[in-house]
Structures are given as C-alpha cells and as structure tokens.
C-alpha cells in the first residue's frame, strides 16, 4: 500500500478486516473489490476467482523463553498438553492446526482461545505459555525482533496459498489494476 500511495497519494484505500464469510459476502455483493488473504479450496462460490500470490509457510510459535524452547524436538504429546491460540473453525489456519493432530491419530487439544486478530494473538502469546501456528510472513517483525520463536516441530501441511479473491465480473479501473499489479509483484518477491 505504501508503494501504491507513493504513486497515487490522493487515492483513498479502505481496509476492512473481518471474518472470511463476512468479507466474502461483501465482495460478492460489490461492497468491496478485492479480498486478500488465505485462499479457500474448493472455491466457496462460483461467481469468484482466486489467484495465488505466494505460498505462506506455517510454523508453531511461542514467546521467547518459552519452556518448550529448551527441547531439541517437540513430541505430539508436548503439543497436545499445551494451551493454544488458534483461528476459528472452518478456516485454513484452523485446518492446519487440526491436521497436526489428525496426522498423529490424536485429538486436538481442548485448551484453546479462538482469535482472528493478529494483535490479540500476539498479546496472548507474549503474556503466557500458549502456542500458536501462523505463517512466518505474518510474524516476521516479531521473529526478527526476537519476541517470538519457532518451535522445533515439523508440520506435514506447512504452507497455504495466500492470494487475491475477486468477483468474476469485476473490471478494475486503471488505478485498481495498478494496485493489483503491485500486489502480484510483491507476491512474486515473497516466493523468492
């Protein structure tokens, strides 16, 4: 957005954050033009098109100095006994979390806080021994600053596609097309 606004300083961008079903409904009814985030497969509607910008690697994260960081490799029991902050039901992030335990014929832990707000997830992790699973690009700053640590556990389905969702009958203006072009260019850079 900063790159776009440098070229179009008088253009207004309205960012709406919310649950995917609400955003998809607003997209389908023309209230928003582009939905950016984790793609859904199969496609949730026949009147939209999805475009992958990049693959996002997911990892199990904790605050720095978490007791599990002292282990060279975590077991499924370690994960099952932990408290977690996870995405809501029927989201790609929640599916990735549940897949960890399904792959080991285990039930998922029950000590969960469901949260979609990245700021809330961050604060819950920083102030507790909870774990979460997020894509590394979402928490790049926290990782770079040493606030979060990646825990040593290999997840089978570690990546998910992040991209654009648009109405099939949406025709972008030249300014909107430029914004989408920048999104695509930045997505390619994240894949490198």
């Amino acid at each position: 957005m900063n790159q776009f606004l440098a070229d179009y300083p008088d253009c207004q961008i309205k960012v709406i954050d919310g649950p995917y079903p609400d955003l998809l409904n607003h997209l389908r009814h023309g209230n928003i033009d582009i939905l950016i985030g984790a793609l859904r497969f199969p496609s949730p509607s026949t009147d939209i098109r999805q475009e992958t910008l990049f693959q996002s690697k997911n990892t199990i994260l904790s605050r720095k100095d978490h007791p599990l960081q002292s282990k060279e490799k975590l077991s499924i029991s370690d994960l099952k006994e932990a408290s977690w902050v996870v995405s809501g039901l029927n989201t790609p992030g929640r599916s990735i979390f549940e897949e960890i335990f399904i792959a080991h014929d285990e039930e998922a832990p029950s000590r969960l806080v469901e949260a979609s707000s990245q700021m809330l997830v961050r604060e819950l992790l920083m102030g507790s021994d909870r774990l979460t699973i997020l894509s590394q690009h979402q928490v790049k700053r926290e990782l770079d600053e040493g606030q979060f640590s990646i825990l040593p556990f290999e997840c089978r389905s570690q990546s998910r596609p992040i991209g654009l969702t648009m109405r099939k009958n949406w025709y972008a203006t030249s300014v909107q097309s430029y914004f989408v072009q920048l999104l695509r260019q930045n997505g390619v850079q994240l894949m490198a």
Side-chain angles (χ1 to χ4, degrees):
M1 280 190 239
N2 288 334
Q3 188 178 357
F4 172 79
L5 290 170
D7 294 331
Y8 289 92
D10 296 327
C11 189
Q12 291 184 347
I13 296 176
K14 184 176 180 181
V15 176
I16 301 169
D17 190 15
Y20 181 84
D22 293 347
L23 295 174
L24 181 63
N25 185 51
H26 286 297
L27 176 77
R28 292 181 67 217
H29 288 93
N31 299 320
I32 60 177
D33 295 319
I34 305 168
L35 199 159
I36 304 170
L39 301 179
R40 273 43 178 190
F41 296 102
S43 179
S45 179
T46 59
D47 59 348
I48 62 167
R49 60 187 169 91
Q50 301 183 114
E51 176 184 334
T52 299
L53 294 175
F54 61 96
Q55 292 288 329
S56 179
K57 184 177 181 185
N58 293 284
T59 54
I60 296 175
L61 301 160
S62 71
R63 64 171 171 79
K64 68 175 184 176
D65 302 326
H66 189 284
L68 290 177
Q69 285 185 345
S70 62
K71 292 191 157 201
E72 285 187 35
K73 186 174 181 187
L74 297 183
S75 69
I76 194 68
S77 296
D78 293 326
L79 301 182
K80 190 169 178 168
E81 292 170 12
S83 297
W84 289 79
V85 183
V86 296
S87 302
L89 290 172
N90 302 316
T91 62
R94 183 63 166 268
S95 297
I96 290 169
F97 166 75
E98 291 171 349
E99 176 60 32
I100 292 170
F101 299 96
I102 291 169
H104 291 87
D105 294 320
E106 294 280 349
E107 285 190 34
S110 60
R111 291 186 311 274
L112 305 177
V113 173
E114 287 186 11
S116 60
S117 163
Q118 190 168 332
M119 286 178 23
L120 178 58
V121 171
R122 180 187 184 281
E123 292 305 313
L124 287 168
L125 254 61
M126 297 295 291
S128 73
D129 284 340
R130 291 187 180 277
L131 306 178
T132 194
I133 184 163
L134 287 173
S135 59
Q136 289 179 342
H137 87 276
Q138 286 179 289
V139 291
K140 182 179 182 336
R141 176 169 292 178
E142 288 85 352
L143 289 168
D144 289 347
E145 293 174 356
Q147 297 170 340
F148 286 176
S149 294
I150 297 171
L151 293 178
F153 189 86
E154 195 67 27
C155 304
R156 193 181 335 184
S157 63
Q158 277 194 300
S159 68
R160 64 181 173 174
I162 305 296
L164 307 175
T165 303
M166 299 168 276
R167 292 181 307 281
K168 284 184 178 175
N169 65 356
W170 179 62
Y171 295 99
T173 66
S174 60
V175 173
Q176 290 169 325
S177 292
Y178 179 67
F179 182 67
V180 170
Q181 175 189 339
L182 288 176
L183 292 170
R184 289 177 178 138
Q185 288 172 354
N186 282 282
V188 167
Q189 290 173 2
L190 286 171
M191 291 287 274

